[in-house]
Amino acid sequence: MSEWLALALAMAGACLVVVAVVLLRNRRVADDEDTSETPDVIEYITMMIGVVYAIVLGLAIAGVWESRSAAQDDVQREAQALHEVSARAEVFPAEYRAVVDKDVDAYVSFVVNTEWHYMQTEGEISPEGTDLLAKLRADVAARAPQNDIEAQAYQAMMDKIASADEARNSRGGNVGPTMPGVVWFGLGIGAVITIGMLFALQIRRSPRELVLAGTFSALFGFLLFLIWDFDDPFGRGMSVTTEPFLNLFPFLGG
């Protein structure tokens, strides 16, 4: 099922449930029920519940968006660090430079073509990717610098590999859902309570009231779906992409 279809079903489902409940309730309402006005205290409580839940939704959206942005930044940092390793190797002899470039190309190719799918299916980074990065570190460290220029480039390369390793570990920590289950429980219960308070306002079956109630519930369905989609930075529709690797290593796109 596509993400857009899931979103449409979530919004339509929330809207239909509320409209159906309103219609069923009005079929069972007593003929002498007074619906001319709603007590002020009910309107006040409904308003306060809506405000509190809106704040909770806003914090949840900000939290998952921040996690997704941090994950994308980690990917950018990892790709940039590996690109710098290849660039710094230019001052070394061709044989050594070829080994470094081969290790870098093997690692980024594995990340883009294999590990990305592995993260989505297994929920963790691949041990093989860790081994490839360790091989790059070992091959870079295998040759002692022969002059001052090489010494400066060597230290910079080791620092960039350490930065790539740190970004990789951070990427692994962001794989999978980031929102605790208790937060999802609160969001679900809050949505039920907030939408349920609509019925305390004595909504009738007029087209205007049904449209407003349906739109209100559909909005909640959209926001909850948005949080769910952002909750897994690497596994869902609006996930973190491999674009930084593709931009810095053009051969991957070929």
Side-chain angles (χ1 to χ4, degrees), residues 131-180:
D131 293 340
L132 288 173
L133 187 59
K135 183 177 185 303
L136 171 62
R137 189 196 303 270
D139 287 344
V140 169
R143 182 185 187 279
Q146 303 298 314
N147 51 55
D148 290 342
I149 295 178
E150 289 188 1
Q152 294 176 8
Y154 173 84
Q155 186 58 51
M157 291 167 65
M158 295 301 294
D159 291 342
K160 292 301 180 181
I161 293 175
S163 178
D165 191 18
E166 181 184 2
R168 171 181 173 80
N169 291 330
S170 182
R171 170 162 61 86
N174 285 322
V175 176
T178 59
M179 188 81 73

Side-chain angles (χ1 to χ4, degrees), residues 3 8 10 18-19 25 45 48 51 54 85 104 107 111 114 122 150 155 160 162 183 189 199 204 214 216-217 248:
E3 298 292 328
V18 171
V19 172
R25 177 181 178 275
I45 293 174
M48 292 305 299
V51 170
V85 171
V104 171
Y107 175 77
V111 169
T114 303
E122 301 297 330
E150 289 188 1
Q155 186 58 51
K160 292 301 180 181
V183 177
I189 294 298
F199 306 118
R204 306 304 292 171
F216 182 75
S217 58
L248 293 173

Side-chain angles (χ1 to χ4, degrees), residues 79-218:
Q80 184 64 46
L82 292 167
H83 178 71
E84 287 295 326
V85 171
S86 294
R88 302 282 183 175
E90 292 295 328
V91 302
F92 289 91
E95 182 179 355
Y96 176 79
R97 187 169 66 247
V99 172
V100 173
D101 288 341
K102 180 180 178 181
D103 288 346
V104 171
D105 292 349
Y107 175 77
V108 298
S109 296
F110 177 79
V111 169
V112 172
N113 298 322
T114 303
E115 188 169 51
W116 221 256
H117 178 69
Y118 183 90
M119 290 191 302
Q120 295 173 350
T121 56
E122 301 297 330
E124 60 182 4
I125 55 177
S126 169
E128 185 177 350
T130 303
D131 293 340
L132 288 173
L133 187 59
K135 183 177 185 303
L136 171 62
R137 189 196 303 270
D139 287 344
V140 169
R143 182 185 187 279
Q146 303 298 314
N147 51 55
D148 290 342
I149 295 178
E150 289 188 1
Q152 294 176 8
Y154 173 84
Q155 186 58 51
M157 291 167 65
M158 295 301 294
D159 291 342
K160 292 301 180 181
I161 293 175
S163 178
D165 191 18
E166 181 184 2
R168 171 181 173 80
N169 291 330
S170 182
R171 170 162 61 86
N174 285 322
V175 176
T178 59
M179 188 81 73
V182 65
V183 177
W184 276 115
F185 176 79
L187 290 173
I189 294 298
V192 172
I193 294 174
T194 304
I195 295 176
M197 288 301 295
L198 290 175
F199 306 118
L201 298 176
Q202 299 177 331
I203 295 177
R204 306 304 292 171
R205 55 191 302 172
S206 68
R208 181 178 60 181
E209 290 175 302
L210 290 178
V211 168
L212 289 176
T215 303
F216 182 75
S217 58

Side-chain angles (χ1 to χ4, degrees), residues 22-31 33:
V22 172
L23 293 176
L24 290 174
R25 177 181 178 275
N26 278 276
R27 290 183 61 182
R28 300 171 58 91
V29 70
D31 294 336
E33 182 181 9

Side-chain angles (χ1 to χ4, degrees), residues 1-68:
M1 181 185 299
S2 68
E3 298 292 328
W4 289 108
L5 179 58
L7 172 59
L9 290 176
M11 296 179 63
C15 180
L16 289 176
V17 167
V18 171
V19 172
V21 172
V22 172
L23 293 176
L24 290 174
R25 177 181 178 275
N26 278 276
R27 290 183 61 182
R28 300 171 58 91
V29 70
D31 294 336
D32 59 349
E33 182 181 9
D34 182 13
T35 60
S36 60
E37 64 178 56
T38 301
D40 291 342
V41 65
I42 294 181
E43 294 182 351
Y44 177 77
I45 293 174
T46 302
M47 179 187 67
M48 292 305 299
I49 291 176
V51 170
V52 171
Y53 190 64
I55 294 174
V56 173
L57 278 176
L59 292 175
I61 293 173
V64 294
W65 176 257
E66 183 178 355
S67 296
R68 182 190 180 281

